Amino acid sequence: MGETKPFTKELTGAELQSKLKSNIHFKSLGGQRSDSLTLTLSDKEWWMNDKIGLFIHWGIYSVIGHGEWAKFNEQIPDDVYRKTAEEWIPKDFSTDAWLETARDLGAKYAVMVTRHHDGFALWDSPASYGSFTSAAIGAHRDYVAEFADSCRRYGLRLGLYYSLMDWRFPGYFDPKGLPENAALMKKQCYGQVEELCSRFRPDILWYDGGWLAHSGSDASAAWFWDPVRLNTIARKYNPKLLINPRSGWEGDFYCDEGSAEIDGNIIPVPWEKNMCICSGKSWGWMADDPVSDFDWLIRMMVNVVCRGGNWLLNIGPDCNGKISPEIRSRIHEIGEWLRISGDSIYGTKAGPFEPVDHIYGSTCRDRTVWLHVLDPAPFRLPPEAENPQNVLPADVLKGNEILSAHLTDGTEVALRKTKGGYRLVLPELPAAPDTIVVLTMKDPVQLLEWGEIHFSGSGKS
Ligand code: GLC
């Protein structure tokens, strides 16, 4: 790792967007601050190095097949939904198969939905309202225990997703009008978060659904959840537990959700893009949900990592926990790419060059810089044709120098020092989603300042 110089800065979400001129939109900005919960950058280093995670949405909605919002969208009555849960007995299912896939992807951590907004807990949860759990009904299995065990055996860090809110409580939709019922939901939440943390000791706690009555933001519902108290309980069992920002406390990293393209500058704080491998219409299983294009997915991952983020890729297994052959094969392709090019991803930092949208971005470690060329056209212009797209600016190198440039197969790349920086000339190459040029530097790369940025406001300009 290069040098990191921590700093603390206050920025509103709108300032962030205008400063970075980016379409990266962090969710849940402006959560409560808490000195006692704040971790150091080095506590988060393992996660920032891991880069790639697998996200798994699986629950009763995987039987229905209309997405994880089916219960609400289709107003399925509680008793009908419960019946589906009672009849849900996956065949030949082992969480090991998910971990095989996670490993094949090259993921270093996996995040499982343990309880979505529908309230069905996938573990033996004494705090569950109405014993609505996979251990009490249906298959009588504790899937979270199985998953945690698989993660440990496969050597991946364990992430648990938990939705604070639960549609079964009318108090969720009217917390002020029905405070007693809302309090029951909150009690369930505190009990379940403590169960998850004490029993499974996750590395990552990934909240969702902090907003109340489907409106406002997670941060605006902090008055209700009292997230500093909640997360203080969670941290009792793992003082270095990484927690996302969706509980109304600002969290340890920022989240950009969904399949929107990534552009703009490096964001020098820990952040994660979570998105679906399929169309993104739903996070849970849906038949015939098309798997995204390989090149597009690779470029999305590279665009995230070149801006300092982690990539959490979601899959929705079917009711038997099976991951479709189309998804598995795409994951395998991405994994193959990472097995060859992972050195330019894992354990790197973004920079030193700011990305040029759609053209290139960079990652680095020690004396190596990987230039991820997404569009080689500007680098194939005649050597005398210089423009900001094909000259790497020297000023960001702070006196450091590029000694040589070559492709990952060892082919040398022509490099010429110009007034403003370094002009690279690429040879004709077969089409690829990312052409990686390895730059060897004279000295270890000096990075952008990384540190604590506390965002407030909504993030909308
Ligand atoms: C949104 C959706 C939810 C999904 C989550 C994944 O918050 O409401 O269904 O689980 O995104 O990040």
Side-chain angles (χ1 to χ4, degrees):
M1 274 288 134
E3 238 177 73
T4 33
K5 298 187 202 121
F7 66 94
T8 303
K9 208 185 270 184
E10 306 263 349
L11 274 185
T12 68
E15 277 166 344
L16 166 77
Q17 299 304 350
S18 76
K19 183 174 175 292
L20 300 174
K21 294 190 181 49
S22 154
N23 69 359
I24 300 173
H25 289 284
F26 290 152
K27 285 191 87 135
S28 317
L29 293 180
Q32 289 183 349
R33 298 270 299 272
S34 161
D35 287 345
S36 65
L37 288 178
T38 302
L39 296 181
T40 65
L41 262 188
S42 50
D43 292 331
K44 306 175 194 180
E45 198 77 29
W46 67 265
W47 181 84
M48 296 191 310
N49 285 336
D50 277 0
K51 300 286 186 229
I52 314 290
L54 184 71
F55 201 5
I56 303 157
H57 274 69
W58 190 64
I60 303 171
Y61 44 83
S62 316
V63 181
I64 301 166
H66 303 163
E68 74 287 353
W69 275 65
K71 181 178 190 297
F72 178 80
N73 290 344
E74 294 164 27
Q75 292 294 304
I76 302 173
D78 285 355
D79 56 336
V80 175
Y81 204 72
R82 191 178 177 100
K83 187 131 202 308
T84 309
E86 281 163 358
E87 287 165 4
W88 182 34
I89 301 179
K91 286 184 205 61
D92 304 325
F93 169 64
S94 159
T95 48
D96 279 2
W98 293 352
L99 269 296
E100 289 285 345
T101 300
R103 191 187 261 178
D104 199 25
L105 171 67
K108 305 287 184 192
Y109 59 98
V111 182
M112 174 192 175
V113 171
T114 65
R115 207 218 74 200
H116 208 266
H117 313 334
D118 61 6
F120 188 63
L122 295 178
W123 75 100
D124 183 5
S125 171
S128 169
Y129 181 75
S131 296
F132 196 39
T133 79
S134 61
I137 57 178
H140 295 279
R141 281 172 70 170
D142 187 324
Y143 297 119
V144 181
E146 295 175 28
F147 180 71
D149 178 56
S150 298
C151 277
R152 304 249 140 82
R153 276 187 291 104
Y154 280 74
L156 269 79
R157 297 275 193 160
L158 171 66
L160 301 180
Y161 163 113
Y162 179 77
S163 163
L164 294 103
M165 63 92 144
D166 181 335
W167 289 315
R168 294 178 303 153
F169 294 88
Y172 167 68
F173 295 95
D174 185 7
K176 293 208 164 123
L178 298 167
E180 280 166 25
N181 186 262
L184 279 182
M185 174 174 72
K186 183 170 168 183
K187 184 168 170 241
Q188 172 183 266
C189 166
Y190 272 66
Q192 291 196 317
V193 165
E194 183 150 17
E195 287 170 14
L196 289 172
C197 293
S198 61
R199 273 195 62 202
F200 307 118
R201 312 270 164 153
D203 302 293
I204 305 161
L205 182 57
W206 214 101
Y207 289 113
D208 187 21
W211 21 264
L212 291 167
H214 292 171
S215 68
S217 69
D218 302 313
S220 68
W223 68 269
F224 177 78
W225 297 110
D226 198 357
V228 171
R229 186 160 71 87
L230 178 64
N231 289 310
T232 303
I233 296 170
R235 281 272 180 73
K236 268 200 308 193
Y237 303 96
N238 172 4
K240 304 289 181 191
L241 172 69
L242 290 196
I243 303 175
N244 81 346
R246 296 201 185 170
S247 63
W249 164 59
E250 64 177 358
D252 296 307
F253 56 91
Y254 295 91
C255 286
D256 177 25
E257 177 182 282
S259 303
E261 299 267 348
I262 290 286
D263 62 17
N265 289 0
I266 298 166
I267 307 188
V269 293
W271 67 276
E272 182 185 65
K273 167 89 166 172
N274 64 298
M275 55 173 272
C276 296
I277 195 167
C278 292
S279 71
K281 270 190 255 144
S282 147
W283 298 78
W285 182 76
M286 259 187 353
D288 306 322
D289 192 5
V291 180
S292 296
D293 178 69
F294 168 73
D295 282 13
W296 183 79
L297 287 164
I298 292 290
R299 294 157 75 95
M300 192 64 108
M301 168 176 69
V302 167
N303 275 325
V304 167
V305 175
C306 288
R307 287 164 179 80
N310 275 21
W311 196 50
L312 181 62
L313 185 65
N314 178 72
I315 56 167
D318 72 11
C319 62
N320 290 313
K322 298 278 173 299
I323 303 166
S324 75
E326 293 78 14
I327 293 178
R328 272 189 285 124
S329 101
R330 183 68 80 245
I331 281 187
H332 182 71
E333 282 179 284
I334 300 169
E336 285 289 279
W337 189 93
L338 278 165
R339 280 180 276 285
I340 294 166
S341 307
D343 205 28
S344 70
I345 300 287
Y346 303 114
T348 63
K349 290 267 189 207
F353 304 109
E354 284 289 357
V356 175
D357 289 340
H358 315 297
I359 309 292
Y360 72 78
S362 61
T363 54
C364 63
R365 188 173 54 246
D366 304 325
R367 286 177 57 229
T368 305
V369 173
W370 291 271
L371 195 73
H372 295 266
V373 178
L374 306 177
D375 179 359
F379 295 103
R380 294 219 183 104
L381 294 173
E384 61 283 2
E386 291 175 15
N387 64 47
Q389 297 186 329
N390 61 24
V391 174
L392 306 178
D395 55 341
V396 295
L397 298 179
K398 299 173 188 147
N400 200 353
E401 283 170 40
I402 305 176
L403 297 182
S404 66
H406 58 87
L407 300 176
T408 43
D409 68 2
T411 312
E412 209 167 312
V413 172
L415 178 76
R416 186 167 51 83
K417 211 153 178 208
T418 73
K419 245 197 290 130
Y422 293 85
R423 168 75 167 96
L424 283 185
V425 183
L426 282 182
E428 276 301 319
L429 294 164
D434 175 19
T435 300
I436 300 171
V437 182
V438 187
L439 307 174
T440 304
M441 311 298 296
K442 187 162 155 276
D443 299 309
V445 178
Q446 296 258 339
L447 290 163
L448 272 181
E449 275 189 22
W450 278 59
E452 280 178 33
I453 298 185
H454 301 278
F455 298 117
S456 54
S458 70
K460 304 224 161 66
S461 337

